[in-house]
Amino acid sequence: MRLEPISAPTPARRIVPPVLALVATLVVTSVLVMIAGRAPGDVLRQIVIGAVGSKFALLETLNRTTPLIFTGLAVAVAFRAKLWNIGAEAQLYAGAVITVILGTGAMSAPSFVMLPVLAVAAFIAGALILLGPVILKTRLGVDEVVTTLLFNFIFLLFVSFLLEGPLKDPMGMGWPKSARMLPEGRLPRIFDGVRLHWGFGVALIAALVIWVMDAKSTLGFEMRAVGQNRDAARFAGIPVTSVMIKTAVISGGLAALAGFSEVSGLKGSLTLDLSPGFGYTGIVVAMLALLHPLGVVVAAFFVAAIFVGADSMSRAIGVPSYIADIMLASALLFMVLAILLTKFRVRRD
Amino acid sequence: MDILDILFSAAFWAATVRIASPLIFATLGELLCERAGVLNLGIEGIMVAGAFAGWIAVWAGLPLWGGVAVAFLVGAMLGGVHSVLSVPFGLSQHVVGIGMTLLATSLTFYMYRVILPEVSSPPKITAFQPLDIPVLSDIPFFGAALFSQTALTYLAFLLAAVMAYVLYRTPLGLAVRAAGERPEAVATQGLSVTAIRMGAVIVGSGLMAIGGAFLTLSAFDSFFFEMVNGRGWICIALVVFGAWRPGKAVLGALLFAAFDAFQIRLQQTPMGAFLPYQFFLMMPYILSILALIVMSRRADVPAALMVPFNKGER
């Protein structure tokens, strides 16, 4: 077989493959649910109810959406420039570590000073974490996929060391967790009495800013040009290395804001289970959003809903909640294939 | 115990060979994929799946070699999915690979919970036992270090020799290497680049899964979620370190394993009390990154790695 570009895709061509991808994901999920001896309809219904079926469920989903918007944006920005940042997990923890160091007593300031300082410090920490692999790539040609992946393991061990050593809460009954954040360092709730913090608001603002930057600024254009064809971009006079480094700063910084928002907004302290793989899930979010900054918001909500819904379904019906990860991984693979089929026709030789 | 005591103990070298074995299987699998032009980032998930599949098959009653075969088949099936997406459809090998790792890992954890819903600790199996090679295992020091390993370890080294022979001494190996260097030349010969690349990914993924199964069937006797713990990513670094050659890849795996065995023993020395254990555990990952940096200047990378091939397109 071979692939033939379609010059003018019909509306059906553009809609049918993505719909089929969703159907295929549901079929895979259903088969696995049946292997577990349960009825697919019940499971899917419980997932939807658990995700958005009540005010409590919806707030839970929105809280889970927040870090995924940040990591999803981080991945989308990087992947657009073909910078394969798989290290959002480490960058997230870097942001969380800085937030905890500054927010538990290293500085004292009123809230309106403290919060911006924490956010900027977290952003810088995440940016620095990604800068290493990117400089190795631009200077020496070391593949950033492997270095960013391996660095996740290194940094998590480092956080584990911090939580058992310098950052350990003396009042923590021996548990590896940090001290509580000062009240000035906590992100307030958006509405009184509603369990949703301003991290969500910051995430939406970040998505808007990235969207404007992407669509309107020179840097956004240069990043896309570098992503489409690095050699052509260099030939056209775009400073490729400098664009890659700026991309890395933005991407690493965004991922670190997820850590800031989780510590300052939701948890109030740092533990080693702060992120159940938000950095990796950000890849799925970004791909499902087709790397579009506003799409990331929608995709992050969708992904968060599946996770929160599957947790609740698992408690109610007993199908392992790993079904959520399977749904997302298969949705990712089916979707990249579907997007290809909206642009290419398969011809037999 | 000081550093010299560690280096002169047969147990240290035996541990080195043991730790290297799963890395050798998986590194050779990745090497085969990359030599044909496909970067397989599914490796981490495929190793997890292989570790589970081999173990659960033996737990269900299959003999140990049956478990190895099941692991290979599961790996090959996952490789089949990867190869369809990355070869004929030419989708981004980064995205497909990461997606495959997520899929294989979550499928494994799901099946574990479905098959063993209520267990607090996973059941144990009777793993491969050390097999003393007659005469050789009686050699002082070297016998205990090298020739008292499990059958699966001997297979790993045998596989490296077979892989080197096939890649460099057979027409099939030439075709695989050419598919990764100059696919158009392969197509000109009337061979199918698609078939060669898919075959390499399927077989390579099977080998990665055996690498995972080594952990559950030989190194330990049970399955844990965090078992593979980045070994797949380390193997990708080892392929680069080994300059895409089986022999050098084995040497790299041994060097790496020696370092790992060394750091484990170093933790029990006075230095271990001085440095927190997390820094010892970091060393394998740091070493992998250093290896990538050191080798980065060399241009051995297959020319068509990650370049999709669409026949008739120029």
Side-chain angles (χ1 to χ4, degrees):
Chain A
M1 60 168 267
R2 89 203 135 78
L3 299 171
E4 196 179 83
I6 305 169
S7 45
T10 58
R13 224 336 139 173
R14 281 195 245 179
I15 293 164
V16 173
V19 170
L20 285 180
L22 285 180
V23 172
T25 304
L26 289 179
V27 169
V28 169
T29 311
S30 303
V31 170
L32 287 164
V33 166
M34 286 192 280
I35 289 176
R38 302 293 197 283
D42 290 349
V43 167
L44 292 174
R45 190 174 324 112
Q46 278 296 330
I47 290 180
V48 174
I49 292 171
V52 293
S54 66
K55 188 181 156 197
F56 176 82
L58 185 62
L59 285 171
E60 194 60 31
T61 300
L62 287 177
N63 271 321
R64 190 72 82 95
T65 306
T66 305
L68 291 178
I69 295 178
F70 285 121
T71 56
L73 286 173
V75 173
V77 166
F79 279 24
R80 283 215 142 185
K82 293 256 161 69
L83 172 69
W84 302 105
N85 173 17
I86 324 287
E89 194 75 5
Q91 293 138 27
L92 180 153
Y93 274 99
V97 164
I98 291 295
T99 304
V100 153
I101 290 176
L102 294 177
T104 54
M107 66 177 281
S108 61
S111 200
F112 69 93
V113 178
M114 175 92 102
L115 285 171
V117 168
L118 292 183
V120 169
F123 191 96
I124 293 171
L128 287 176
I129 295 280
L130 185 52
L131 226 43
V134 169
I135 289 173
L136 285 179
K137 180 196 173 73
T138 52
R139 283 283 173 82
L140 300 170
V142 180
D143 186 27
E144 75 279 21
V145 174
V146 191
T147 49
T148 51
L149 270 169
L150 288 169
F151 197 77
N152 288 341
F153 291 87
I154 295 174
F155 200 80
L156 243 82
L157 284 164
F158 181 67
V159 175
S160 157
F161 155 72
L162 289 177
L163 291 178
E164 288 178 19
L167 288 184
K168 185 171 178 174
D169 182 8
M171 306 295 179
M173 318 279 277
W175 288 102
K177 77 188 266 300
S178 77
R180 302 286 303 169
M181 294 279 290
L182 298 172
E184 298 86 357
R186 297 295 306 269
L187 279 164
R189 290 180 174 183
I190 300 180
F191 309 106
D192 271 341
V194 179
R195 199 171 151 270
L196 182 66
H197 60 83
W198 262 104
F200 183 68
V202 178
L204 293 182
I205 295 166
L208 276 174
V209 170
I210 297 298
W211 176 57
V212 171
M213 183 202 79
D214 199 46
K216 302 271 186 251
S217 77
T218 318
L219 179 61
F221 169 77
E222 287 176 338
M223 282 158 71
R224 262 175 292 141
V226 169
Q228 265 157 21
N229 189 334
R230 209 162 285 170
D231 294 329
R234 187 171 283 125
F235 187 71
I238 292 173
V240 173
T241 303
S242 142
V243 171
M244 295 290 274
I245 286 175
K246 284 175 195 161
T247 309
V249 167
I250 297 171
S251 172
L254 284 167
L257 286 181
F260 158 72
S261 146
E262 286 296 281
V263 168
S264 168
L266 198 64
K267 299 280 172 64
S269 64
L270 175 60
T271 51
L272 209 53
D273 60 358
L274 179 77
S275 160
F278 288 139
Y280 301 102
T281 312
I283 299 169
V284 180
V285 170
M287 293 310 299
L288 290 180
L290 307 182
L291 307 185
H292 191 291
L294 297 184
V296 163
V297 176
V298 180
F301 180 79
F302 172 73
V303 168
I306 289 185
F307 274 120
V308 172
D311 274 348
S312 134
M313 176 281 299
S314 180
R315 283 191 298 271
I317 309 187
V319 172
S321 59
Y322 292 109
I323 196 78
D325 302 82
I326 299 175
M327 285 174 85
L328 295 173
S330 41
L332 166 71
L333 292 172
F334 284 128
M335 201 50 92
V336 286
L337 180 60
I339 298 304
L340 179 88
L341 294 178
T342 60
K343 296 178 198 149
F344 290 88
R345 193 175 283 129
V346 177
R347 285 259 186 243
R348 218 182 297 195
D349 289 330
Chain B
M1 188 153 84
D2 75 4
I3 290 170
L4 281 181
D5 290 338
I6 295 176
L7 292 180
F8 284 110
S9 74
F12 164 72
W13 292 102
T16 296
V17 174
R18 187 169 62 238
I19 294 170
S21 304
L23 301 176
I24 291 173
F25 278 114
T27 304
L28 290 172
E30 181 69 34
L31 186 144
L32 183 61
C33 299
E34 293 194 21
R35 266 305 172 103
V38 182
L39 173 73
N40 189 344
L41 292 179
I43 183 168
E44 178 82 6
I46 292 170
M47 287 181 80
V48 175
F52 174 74
W55 170 77
I56 203 77
V58 173
W59 176 78
L62 250 58
L64 283 166
W65 287 107
V68 174
V70 167
F72 180 86
L73 285 177
V74 166
M77 268 156 50
L78 291 165
V81 177
H82 187 299
S83 70
V84 167
L85 295 171
S86 62
V87 181
F89 286 111
L91 291 166
S92 159
Q93 292 172 15
H94 286 115
V95 175
V96 171
I98 298 288
M100 285 307 299
T101 282
L102 293 174
L103 182 67
T105 310
S106 51
L107 267 176
T108 303
F109 293 174
Y110 181 81
M111 290 316 290
Y112 176 91
R113 284 274 178 251
V114 167
I115 297 173
L116 303 162
E118 308 272 297
V119 296
S120 51
S121 67
K124 291 184 184 305
I125 55 153
T126 310
F128 279 102
Q129 299 302 310
L131 197 68
D132 290 342
I133 295 189
V135 187
L136 289 177
S137 65
D138 295 333
I139 305 171
F141 191 78
F142 291 101
L146 304 178
F147 301 109
S148 188
Q149 301 280 348
T150 68
L152 221 42
T153 292
Y154 303 129
L155 181 68
F157 287 88
L158 184 68
L159 180 72
V162 171
M163 177 93 69
Y165 178 82
V166 171
L167 275 179
Y168 293 103
R169 295 277 182 274
T170 65
L172 178 66
L174 181 64
V176 168
R177 285 185 293 133
E181 295 284 351
R182 286 193 139 270
E184 38 318 333
V186 176
T188 313
Q189 291 290 312
L191 297 169
S192 164
V193 177
T194 307
I196 293 168
R197 285 185 167 177
M198 287 180 73
V201 173
I202 291 169
V203 174
S205 300
L207 297 179
M208 294 168 191
I210 296 183
F214 184 94
L215 298 172
T216 47
L217 300 183
S218 179
F220 305 97
D221 53 7
S222 196
F223 174 82
F224 307 99
F225 276 20
E226 302 302 325
M227 192 153 217
V228 175
N229 207 10
R231 278 188 178 81
W233 312 130
I234 287 170
C235 289
I236 290 188
L238 283 174
V239 173
V240 180
F241 184 75
W244 287 269
R245 289 167 175 274
K248 285 185 181 171
V250 169
L251 280 181
L254 282 169
L255 190 69
F256 181 90
F259 191 82
D260 205 19
F262 185 70
Q263 65 89 7
I264 294 168
R265 281 158 179 78
L266 206 59
Q267 286 187 48
Q268 290 142 19
T269 65
M271 207 180 146
F274 175 70
L275 202 62
Y277 71 95
Q278 288 95 345
F279 290 93
F280 288 98
L281 294 179
M282 270 179 213
M283 287 180 187
Y285 307 108
I286 294 174
L287 191 70
S288 302
I289 292 180
L290 288 179
L292 286 173
I293 296 172
V294 170
M295 292 296 142
S296 64
R297 291 282 182 201
R298 307 231 311 258
D300 302 301
V301 47
L305 182 63
M306 292 191 271
V307 182
F309 182 72
N310 201 0
K311 201 161 77 181
E313 187 186 78
R314 267 286 45 100

